[in-house]
Amino acid sequence: MTDLSTKVKEFEDKQEWWWAAEQKRTKRLDYLRKAIWKKGAIGGQYPPGIKVDLERSLLGKEAWEEGEIMPEPVIIKTAKMFAHVLDNKTIFITDMAQLVGYVGSLPHTMYWDASAAEIVNDEVYNDPTACPEPEEENRKVMQDVCNYWAGKTEMSRIMPHYDLEDMMKILAGCIGWGAPSAKHGYSGKDYEYLMTGKRGFQDIADEIGKNLDQTDEDLFEKPVTADPLSSYQKINNWEAMEICLDACIRHAKRYARLAKNLAENFETDSKRKEELLQVAEVCEQVPARSPRTLQESLQYDIFIQLFSRHESIEGAWPARPDYYHGQYYEKDVEVEKNITKEEAYDLIGEFIIRAAEVCQYKVKWAREGLQGIDGTWVWTIGGVKQDGSDACNGMTIALLQVARLIRVANPTFGFRWHPKVKDEVLKECFECIRQGLGYPSMRNDPLLVQNTVHWYGHPVEEARTWVHQACMSPAPTTKRGFQSMRMASATANCAKIIEYVFTRGFDKVVNMQIAAETPDPVEFKTFDQFYDAWTTQMKSIFCTLVRAVNVSRQVGTKETPRPYLSGISERSVESGLEVNDPSIERGNAWITAFTWVENADSLAAVKKLVYDEKRYSIEELVKAIDANWEGYEEMRIAFVNDAPKWGNDDDYVDDIMLKCLRTCAAFSKELRCPCGNPWPILPENVSGNIHYGNIVGALPNGRRLGDALYDGGISPGPGLDKNGPTAVLNSCAKIDHVTDGRAFLLNQRLSPTQLSGEKGYQLWKSYMRTWADLGLDHVQFNMVDDSTLHAAQRDPEKYPEVIVRVAGYSAHFVDISRKTQDNIIQRTVQGI
Amino acid sequence: MARRREKAKQALAGVFKQQVAPKTEEKIADMVCGQCTKYSENSWASDGRGTCSVLSTGTNIDVDPAVYVLDGDIPLITMTLTDAKYCKYYDRMKMIDSDNTEVSDPKYRRSTRQMQK
């Protein structure tokens, strides 16, 4: 054994994975990894040293001011602002980098688009740590920018279109998580159009040019039609797309010039000089034309994503890197051997690092709900091709191995498991989980393809292209299948459903009537009456959220257009319609159901202790809930301990869970998105269970105001699953994961000691087989033991790199709040 | 329906009136709404806006004696740093944590960074 391998083994034996990885990666990767500025908010506040990028906000203001006198539609003004920023922002290339492109103008900055919303601007201005030096001077700059945009932002433009009462309820912050905007949130991409090697941005711009000329010719050389306006609108849209694509190409060429300049005039190291010239060549090629090599393909992908973040505040990163880069990996590494595997791993590692560095200033609900990260970059790997055959390739394995070398908490992977996955790939997934990354999450591919077809009618071939639209929801990457906005802004804080049954829709925390005024609960003589009120509250909350999101989509094409995203989407390039126009998308909406399981556990407790056993009257319960259980501790303990809890294979409570899900599923078919499709629910949480801890009042499962909520999806309450992992799976398997909802998040904690070595892999594999056979669509694991987590709480300086799975994402343990940390430790460690 | 919209307009006016232009650093009063158990900071935004769980719109706690409205449909929209010295409903919370993540009494957790001296 060499010294190095001995050292590595020592670290691995002690499960000190970060130190082992440090020994194993190349010098370049080690440098790039350590040079990352971690930008995810710690608890709810940005880390020291991370500053708002004022340059973007100033350039945006400059462009908009200049366009004020021009009678141009919003989409053209938006495109010009986008182009002005890309043409003038500071660019840089860091040491050792082979891939370029940043959202900020310096590595430690957060992007701030002041044109989005006054509410964001106010937060930026009031943030005590984010203002760059010199602070006094820059506060004034910030104030100027904020004052300029007051009354002019996108939020101001779309607000008059909403129902005012709905908006008031949403802004109160107790039932919804997200901003109903068609522009911000997250957007899928038409990867089948962009990433299959058939075209680059210049090719698309040429196509747009032809469409423009043709429409113009039809308008002015033929007799006047009854509707010239729609043609004018298309022309404006195409022109805006063209402006954006041209700006993107110019921006890449600025990098090419910079790299060449550095190589020819400043760099003394001959190897680095060569690398910089290579960077220049790559940026000349992409995004203008389709990539030819792995480096070009990765650079192309980075550009596509970064440009999107120059247009919109993106909270997710739908991607499928092994599928779309696999052909280049195969060509360069396996067939033509143009680069070594190690060189490829450096590129792939840097590709992930570039994503990890991205940060856009987020408002409070996003910072607190996504503690430790900037957004849920859940990259999809594995799965099948459009013909149903296994899509895993060399790049799949490379990504999983590189992830263990660089150990970032974001992006993470979601692995599309299917029966044809080879053992060598599955083993790599397991190694990532075993080494404490918390990812990949495991997704049941055949079932989710079926689910995607069931809810939205996507053709099966298109459904098979699916990527995680955010943490959980599958969305195709095809012309009409991809989703261009965060329809999931209809994210419901579902614990409020059961809470409002007791308060008749009145929210005691914000002192306002938020949902339906159902009858006084003391009048409910039967559980069915109680359940009817629950159904009414659910409908009331869902309708408020869905109405707002639908409106945002309807007005989005005019008021908050996305010319860049339109320009890279076949459906817009072809039709001339803005990408969010509902007529050109099939629809993929879902309601994210935060804090969901509290409903099943609470309803079960009410049914058992009040209506079945009559141990307590409904009047007593109403009083106890109203008093936040204060003075009713004995009764509270009975509601915790004597009522059945979800996740123990107990039909009493499991049947209630099914009843709730099926009530929602039936109602979701009555709700329609502007594309014409239903709104199925998707239970999951991110860290909303902590964010909402002080917003949700007392509940009949024994919870008090301020206690953390359950960690989400269909995961049992922490520590309440007492009958082992099979019981958890059995409970979850009673749900029909195709027809009962869109997807169902399940958190599980496993013991790293039990799962060490080959035996551990075999145990896990057989657990996964059971999981698949039972028809569950999702599971994700934490495999860090309690002692490490407690030690990290005591001594965070010594454990900066411990990663945990929070909910639909991973985070460094030290970057999440104490309450979230405790919540993760409370989860039951399952022996399998 | 007109009434429904009218109420919402009043409430929204309360929300928006304070956010048009950012304020410069303020002197912090001894009794601020942000440290009262009746106050709930808005969980959507962190510009210091929040609601009172007891008082409704129409209340004025800037004057002595304060004017209280307890039975309205719309909560009093107040701010973390609003001086509450004239409010008879003021109930200061216990501060048990000051690391800026969980901050105060976990039952009434909210951000207090605007209260930092």
Side-chain angles (χ1 to χ4, degrees):
Chain A
M1 258 192 185
T2 63
D3 279 356
L4 178 67
S5 51
T6 313
K7 243 184 191 174
V8 169
K9 195 171 175 317
E10 271 173 25
F11 285 127
E12 288 183 344
D13 286 347
K14 287 189 280 178
Q15 295 177 13
E16 290 180 351
W17 306 108
W18 165 256
W19 305 114
E22 189 189 41
Q23 301 295 322
K24 284 178 2 188
R25 60 192 173 218
T26 62
K27 275 188 182 157
R28 180 200 305 274
L29 219 42
D30 192 50
Y31 173 82
L32 292 171
R33 174 63 183 85
K34 289 175 179 168
I36 291 179
W37 283 85
K38 240 174 27 170
K39 301 190 184 89
I42 300 173
Q45 211 165 1
Y46 285 111
I50 300 301
K51 302 294 177 188
V52 161
D53 185 10
L54 291 183
E55 187 183 79
R56 163 63 181 86
S57 57
L58 284 170
L59 288 171
K61 175 174 171 270
E62 211 171 270
W64 203 265
E65 261 173 341
E66 203 177 304
E68 269 181 311
I69 50 157
M70 288 294 288
E72 285 172 328
V74 173
I75 193 165
I76 297 279
K77 285 180 199 276
T78 307
K80 284 185 174 174
M81 181 163 71
F82 175 86
H84 187 70
V85 171
L86 288 184
D87 284 343
N88 294 288
K89 70 178 286 190
T90 308
I91 59 166
F92 59 91
I93 298 172
T94 55
D95 290 348
M96 295 208 192
Q98 298 182 92
L99 299 171
V100 296
Y102 304 85
V103 290
S105 60
L106 284 168
H108 70 297
T109 57
M110 294 181 281
Y111 191 89
W112 170 36
D113 176 1
S115 67
E118 287 84 350
I119 211 162
V120 179
N121 297 347
D122 270 9
E123 289 207 28
V124 171
Y125 182 79
N126 284 306
D127 193 313
T129 66
C131 183
E133 297 289 342
E135 197 175 329
E136 202 179 327
E137 197 178 304
N138 283 330
R139 282 261 176 232
K140 284 195 185 112
V141 174
M142 284 170 140
Q143 192 159 16
D144 279 350
V145 171
C146 293
N147 288 341
Y148 172 72
W149 284 106
K152 288 196 195 77
T153 64
E154 290 156 6
M155 189 180 171
S156 295
R157 294 202 297 271
I158 56 176
M159 192 62 85
H161 298 281
Y162 293 115
D163 178 83
L164 297 175
E165 192 182 326
D166 283 350
M167 272 329 280
M168 186 61 213
K169 289 172 180 174
I170 291 168
L171 292 176
C174 49
I175 55 165
W177 191 79
S181 153
K183 189 168 180 182
H184 306 288
Y186 37 74
S187 56
K189 305 284 176 300
D190 186 353
Y191 288 125
E192 287 297 303
Y193 183 57
L194 277 179
M195 297 283 293
T196 43
K198 292 175 195 144
R199 56 185 67 76
F201 286 16
Q202 189 57 58
D203 305 295
I204 301 174
D206 294 345
E207 211 173 316
I208 290 172
K210 279 184 207 156
N211 293 342
L212 264 173
D213 291 345
Q214 185 61 53
T215 310
D216 203 49
E217 196 182 307
D218 289 349
L219 258 178
F220 294 100
E221 290 181 16
K222 289 182 182 170
V224 178
T225 64
D227 177 23
L229 182 63
S230 60
S231 297
Y232 296 159
Q233 281 166 350
K234 285 181 183 182
I235 287 173
N236 282 328
N237 292 345
W238 273 318
E239 278 183 359
M241 294 181 217
E242 225 176 18
I243 291 168
C244 291
L245 294 177
D246 289 347
C248 294
I249 296 167
R250 285 198 301 275
H251 187 71
K253 289 189 192 294
R254 287 181 64 204
Y255 274 109
R257 274 198 303 279
L258 175 62
K260 201 160 174 256
N261 191 2
L262 285 172
E264 289 173 351
N265 300 310
F266 298 98
E267 186 56 62
T268 50
D269 181 273
S270 60
K271 192 167 176 297
R272 181 63 186 152
K273 202 179 244 190
E274 236 175 76
E275 283 173 6
L276 285 166
L277 290 173
Q278 179 68 25
V279 168
E281 196 187 323
V282 167
C283 294
E284 284 290 343
Q285 178 70 17
V286 294
R289 300 292 177 196
S290 59
R292 299 162 301 187
T293 63
L294 179 65
Q295 186 172 348
E296 288 180 359
S297 182
L298 297 171
Q299 181 64 69
Y300 183 50
D301 200 355
I302 288 173
F303 276 142
I304 288 169
Q305 290 293 340
L306 293 181
F307 294 146
S308 193
R309 282 155 175 80
H310 281 79
E311 180 175 70
S312 150
I313 303 167
E314 298 269 13
W317 193 308
R320 201 177 173 196
D322 60 339
Y323 188 69
Y324 292 110
H325 300 298
Q327 57 167 316
Y328 301 101
Y329 180 88
E330 193 184 336
K331 176 175 159 276
D332 276 358
V333 181
E334 292 165 358
V335 180
E336 294 180 8
K337 301 192 192 305
N338 299 319
I339 54 173
T340 63
K341 191 171 150 186
E342 194 174 75
E343 286 167 338
Y345 277 27
D346 272 7
L347 283 169
I348 296 165
E350 190 179 342
F351 176 62
I352 297 172
I353 285 167
R354 290 282 163 266
E357 288 172 333
V358 167
C359 183
Q360 297 171 289
Y361 194 94
K362 301 277 186 335
V363 288
K364 181 183 173 185
W365 57 264
R367 293 197 304 272
E368 288 194 350
L370 297 169
Q371 291 174 39
I373 59 164
D374 184 49
T376 53
W377 314 156
V378 183
W379 292 358
T380 308
I381 56 173
V384 293
K385 298 177 187 168
Q386 290 203 35
D387 63 8
S389 61
D390 182 17
C392 296
N393 54 41
M395 185 77 181
T396 318
I397 291 178
L399 281 159
L400 289 161
Q401 290 184 346
V402 171
R404 302 202 294 274
L405 290 178
I406 56 171
R407 298 184 65 84
V408 292
N410 202 26
T412 66
F413 303 140
F415 184 80
R416 287 173 49 179
W417 175 92
H418 59 84
K420 294 174 207 156
V421 170
K422 291 185 183 129
D423 207 46
E424 56 176 331
V425 179
L426 203 58
K427 213 167 200 168
E428 295 295 340
C429 294
F430 172 72
E431 274 309 314
C432 286
I433 296 165
R434 192 170 71 90
Q435 295 189 20
L437 288 180
Y439 57 87
S441 60
M442 302 300 285
R443 309 305 306 273
N444 191 331
D445 199 45
L447 200 136
L448 287 165
V449 168
Q450 207 186 333
N451 178 303
T452 302
V453 173
H454 168 80
W455 284 103
Y456 313 114
H458 294 300
V460 69
E461 292 77 15
E462 289 194 40
R464 284 176 181 148
T465 67
W466 75 266
V467 293
H468 293 76
Q469 170 87 3
C471 311
M472 287 284 293
S473 179
T477 54
T478 57
K479 181 176 162 184
R480 292 192 63 216
F482 90 90
Q483 193 181 57
S484 50
M485 69 167 276
R486 184 179 186 264
M487 296 299 285
S489 285
T491 290
N493 177 18
C494 290
K496 284 284 176 192
I497 303 174
I498 181 74
E499 182 189 333
Y500 288 165
V501 174
F502 287 90
T503 61
R504 308 179 64 197
F506 185 83
D507 196 300
K508 288 170 63 182
V509 175
V510 296
N511 191 16
M512 200 183 332
Q513 188 70 37
I514 295 282
E517 278 189 64
T518 41
D520 189 336
V522 296
E523 291 168 16
F524 300 144
K525 302 294 173 218
T526 64
F527 178 71
D528 285 347
Q529 288 174 337
F530 190 92
Y531 187 78
D532 285 347
W534 183 90
T535 305
T536 306
Q537 293 299 345
M538 176 272 289
K539 289 181 178 177
S540 174
I541 291 172
F542 284 7
C543 283
T544 300
L545 298 170
V546 165
R547 263 195 305 269
V549 176
N550 278 357
V551 168
S552 76
R553 175 121 199 192
Q554 286 181 291
V555 301
T557 54
K558 295 282 181 303
E559 304 288 7
T560 58
R562 295 199 59 178
Y564 163 72
L565 187 64
S566 301
I568 57 168
S569 305
E570 186 180 10
R571 63 193 193 208
S572 293
V573 172
E574 191 182 276
S575 67
L577 298 173
E578 201 270 343
V579 70
N580 274 315
D581 193 302
S583 69
I584 48 174
E585 188 187 308
R586 205 172 286 118
N588 207 73
W590 73 92
I591 294 171
T592 307
F594 277 10
T595 60
W596 170 254
V597 175
E598 282 79 357
N599 286 286
D601 279 2
S602 294
L603 286 166
V606 172
K607 185 172 189 297
K608 185 159 193 282
L609 300 180
V610 176
Y611 293 105
D612 288 359
E613 295 181 357
K614 302 191 192 311
R615 278 169 63 180
Y616 301 96
S617 69
I618 186 73
E619 288 84 357
E620 279 176 293
L621 181 59
V622 169
K623 276 185 194 154
I625 296 281
D626 190 50
N628 193 27
W629 294 106
E630 278 167 27
Y632 296 85
E633 188 56 14
E634 203 178 311
M635 181 176 171
R636 189 183 80 80
I637 297 297
F639 276 76
V640 175
N641 290 337
D642 301 348
K645 297 287 184 285
W646 167 255
N648 292 292
D649 196 11
D650 181 337
D651 283 343
Y652 190 92
V653 56
D654 294 358
D655 285 349
I656 289 174
M657 170 66 108
L658 296 185
K659 189 177 163 103
C660 292
L661 284 172
R662 285 166 192 171
T663 304
C664 290
F667 184 60
S668 68
K669 287 177 187 151
E670 291 175 36
L671 297 170
R672 289 286 148 184
C673 80
C675 304
N677 260 317
W679 282 87
I681 73 161
L682 191 162
E684 69 128 342
N685 250 17
V686 286
S687 44
N689 57 322
I690 305 300
H691 173 70
Y692 282 126
N694 65 321
I695 304 291
V696 175
L699 300 178
N701 62 344
R703 182 192 171 278
R704 294 156 299 199
L705 171 70
D707 291 347
L709 291 138
Y710 296 171
D711 50 294
I714 51 168
S715 312
L720 298 175
D721 44 344
K722 298 178 190 300
N723 291 347
T726 312
V728 175
L729 291 182
N730 283 341
S731 280
C732 297
K734 291 170 191 170
I735 296 169
D736 186 322
H737 288 244
V738 173
T739 60
D740 286 343
R742 186 65 182 107
F744 303 88
L745 178 142
L746 175 62
N747 288 322
Q748 287 286 267
R749 274 191 79 194
L750 302 175
S751 155
T753 311
Q754 189 194 11
L755 292 177
S756 60
E758 177 60 23
K759 196 180 150 210
Y761 170 62
Q762 293 304 334
L763 271 173
W764 177 78
K765 201 172 143 187
S766 95
Y767 174 92
M768 289 306 297
R769 201 170 301 124
T770 310
W771 165 85
D773 290 345
L774 288 170
L776 274 65
D777 75 271
H778 173 276
V779 64
Q780 61 193 9
F781 304 98
N782 268 311
M783 237 190 269
V784 185
D785 57 34
D786 279 354
S787 57
T788 306
L789 297 181
H790 283 304
Q793 280 188 322
R794 279 194 306 273
D795 214 348
E797 302 281 310
K798 281 191 187 162
Y799 297 85
E801 301 300 338
V802 169
I803 294 175
V804 288
R805 194 71 178 169
V806 181
Y809 71 94
S810 295
H812 289 283
F813 189 68
V814 295
D815 291 348
I816 56 179
S817 69
R818 176 66 185 226
K819 210 166 183 176
T820 317
Q821 290 177 346
D822 290 345
N823 186 268
I824 288 168
I825 293 171
Q826 273 173 6
R827 295 178 195 172
T828 309
V829 179
Q830 303 284 13
I832 58 176
Chain B
M1 291 307 271
R3 190 165 167 268
R4 183 184 73 84
R5 289 178 57 79
E6 202 44 52
K7 269 199 242 171
K9 269 185 198 164
Q10 281 177 38
L12 276 172
V15 171
F16 285 109
K17 72 176 181 193
Q18 318 213 31
Q19 71 164 72
V20 178
K23 295 191 183 84
T24 49
E25 226 167 282
E26 292 175 69
K27 196 167 173 248
I28 298 162
D30 293 335
M31 288 168 65
V32 288
C33 284
Q35 289 182 336
C36 172
T37 58
K38 312 283 172 35
Y39 172 81
S40 184
E41 187 191 45
N42 183 292
S43 72
W44 199 84
S46 65
D47 55 357
R49 188 190 323 151
T51 47
C52 178
S53 63
V54 174
L55 303 172
S56 297
T57 297
T59 297
N60 186 354
I61 56 166
D62 294 339
V63 293
D64 187 17
V67 178
Y68 302 107
V69 178
L70 299 175
D71 54 357
D73 292 336
I74 305 158
L76 174 69
I77 309 287
T78 180
M79 303 290 281
T80 309
L81 296 182
T82 297
D83 189 345
K85 66 179 170 221
Y86 299 131
C87 181
K88 71 173 180 185
Y89 295 95
Y90 192 80
D91 176 21
R92 188 190 289 272
M93 68 172 72
K94 283 180 198 155
M95 304 292 281
I96 60 166
D97 180 358
S98 58
D99 72 352
N100 258 346
T101 55
E102 296 308 333
V103 290
S104 48
D105 183 338
K107 187 170 157 189
Y108 302 104
R109 178 187 63 93
R110 63 193 56 108
S111 163
T112 52
R113 55 182 174 273
Q114 285 159 305
M115 291 184 228
Q116 283 177 321
K117 301 248 163 128

